[in-house]
Amino acid sequence: MVGDDRIRLFCALRLPAPAVDELADWQTRHLPPGVRAVARDNLHVTLAFLGSRPGADVGPVAGVLRSAAAAAAPLTLRPERYRETRSVAMIVYDDVNGAATALAEEVGAQLERLGVYRREQRAWLPHVTVARFREPPRARPPVESLGPVSPSDAAVYSSVLRPAGAQYVVLESIELGAGTHTTGGR
């Protein structure tokens, strides 16, 4: 990647395959007509969305995520409720032991010090976006059937906008609590 090219970047927790399968099944069973389900490969828990950045930022951003992920405690997210905003539907999770929130705060603080990110004023909300829409369907699907999620890695993603919706590409994956990483793929 050329350093002057712009790229939409974000850092996120990747979901284990069984959790992705469970969410995809939940989407099929519970999302109302007229909404666009988020593709199973795009299901994740965002830690920090950086937006459009120079391609040269990928390495330093990955360095921040590696540093924060190496020190991360094991985390468990328990589904709490369904929520709609004006354009997306999400499953909001309870951060059972606070480890995911601590990781998100550390990633945000390090990215701010690097000068590539500005944290939001509101508290970080652990969630998975499950659908997009033009008009909120005002649905109230149950989440009780969903089990807890324990992500074992995080990743730096690029977000490529396409007519059919954004496509997320893993640029670097980092194991939580171990400091090891891989490039691309699952």
Side-chain angles (χ1 to χ4, degrees):
M1 173 173 300
V2 178
D4 291 338
D5 289 345
R6 302 293 291 186
I7 184 171
R8 289 169 41 96
L9 289 177
F10 66 96
C11 298
L13 295 169
R14 290 172 24 133
L15 303 175
V20 170
D21 293 342
E22 186 176 44
L23 279 167
D25 181 58
W26 182 93
Q27 289 172 307
T28 301
R29 288 184 292 115
H30 294 292
L31 288 177
V35 303
R36 189 175 75 226
V38 171
R40 62 184 297 115
D41 289 343
N42 287 353
L43 297 170
H44 65 273
V45 177
T46 301
L47 296 168
F49 182 77
L50 287 73
S52 180
R53 301 295 315 164
D57 284 355
V58 172
V61 168
V64 161
L65 189 58
R66 271 193 302 277
S67 171
L75 41 105
T76 301
L77 301 171
R78 184 178 46 233
E80 190 172 78
R81 61 190 161 90
Y82 171 87
R83 177 177 179 223
E84 293 176 2
T85 67
R86 61 182 163 77
S87 60
V88 302
M90 64 184 75
I91 304 296
V92 176
Y93 288 83
D94 173 40
D95 181 7
V96 174
N97 64 354
T101 301
L103 176 60
E105 289 173 356
E106 181 61 22
V107 167
Q110 286 190 40
L111 290 171
E112 259 186 346
R113 284 193 294 276
L114 190 61
V116 299
Y117 180 68
R118 183 193 230 145
R119 285 182 279 184
E120 296 182 24
Q121 295 298 314
R122 62 183 175 208
W124 179 72
L125 181 67
H127 70 277
V128 174
T129 299
V130 293
R132 299 188 183 285
F133 40 74
R134 292 191 191 282
E135 289 247 349
R138 303 198 193 297
R140 300 223 186 287
V143 298
E144 293 78 20
S145 65
L146 295 171
V149 177
S150 294
S152 60
D153 67 320
V156 176
Y157 286 85
S158 71
S159 172
V160 180
L161 299 179
R162 305 254 188 245
Q167 175 187 359
Y168 303 143
V169 178
V170 173
L171 301 176
E172 184 166 342
S173 175
I174 297 112
E175 188 175 343
L176 298 176
T180 59
H181 71 279
T182 59
T183 302
R186 266 206 192 269

